[in-house]
Amino acid sequence: MTGATVTHMRGILDTSTVIMLSRITDPASLPAEPLVTAITLAELTVGPLVAKDDAERAARQAHVQQAEADFDPLPFDAAAARAFGRVAASLRAAGRKPAARAYDAMIAAIALANRLPIYTCNPNDFIGIDGLTVVPVPVPPAP
């Protein structure tokens, strides 16, 4: 894992970063060409379905719709499936359970298969994944 101050030309925004996009104030903390994965879209679609009230449901649905409008997601394809094996093995070697971090592991596999860094507001989610470049994205505190 690397916490680089260099902005990469292309990079994958993980789900936490997509959710926090409206609060990120420094555009230099994101890649010049931000990408998302189909896994992030899948993860976002769970949000409205498990929301506790109508206001939360509407906010979460807005995230899903905005992400669908703004991004053409990278798929979890055969190359990502092969990379997933390396991700799961890395997580196990680090004493972590791949199943508990299944979404993150699949996003990491897509990043590895496409040789792209992951930009995340939660860098600890990706600890122990060999060969993955992780760029922490700072988010100002909520007002």
Side-chain angles (χ1 to χ4, degrees):
M1 173 169 9
T2 37
T5 56
V6 174
T7 299
H8 297 270
M9 185 56 168
R10 299 175 78 219
I12 293 174
L13 308 182
D14 82 327
T15 308
S16 70
T17 308
V18 172
I19 290 169
M20 294 292 181
L21 273 176
S22 66
R23 291 185 38 210
I24 297 170
T25 56
D26 180 9
S29 66
L30 298 173
E33 183 183 345
L35 305 164
V36 300
T37 69
I39 306 309
T40 287
L41 290 183
E43 194 172 6
L44 287 172
T45 64
V46 175
L49 300 173
V50 298
K52 296 191 181 357
D53 58 54
D54 289 341
E56 183 180 348
R57 184 173 298 103
R60 290 180 177 194
Q61 186 62 38
H63 276 117
V64 174
Q65 291 172 324
Q66 191 66 56
E68 289 174 338
D70 290 347
F71 298 101
D72 184 20
L74 295 172
F76 188 86
D77 58 11
R82 286 188 297 277
F84 183 81
R86 296 191 319 267
V87 170
S90 291
L91 288 171
R92 285 186 183 158
R96 300 183 77 199
K97 296 180 180 176
R101 305 264 16 124
Y103 294 129
D104 295 331
M106 293 175 79
I107 292 168
I110 294 170
L112 288 170
N114 288 278
R115 296 184 176 102
L116 294 168
I118 289 184
Y119 284 72
T120 180
C121 297
N122 298 322
N124 289 342
D125 290 349
F126 298 96
I127 287 175
I129 299 175
D130 294 338
L132 183 64
T133 300
V134 177
V135 182
V137 176
V139 178

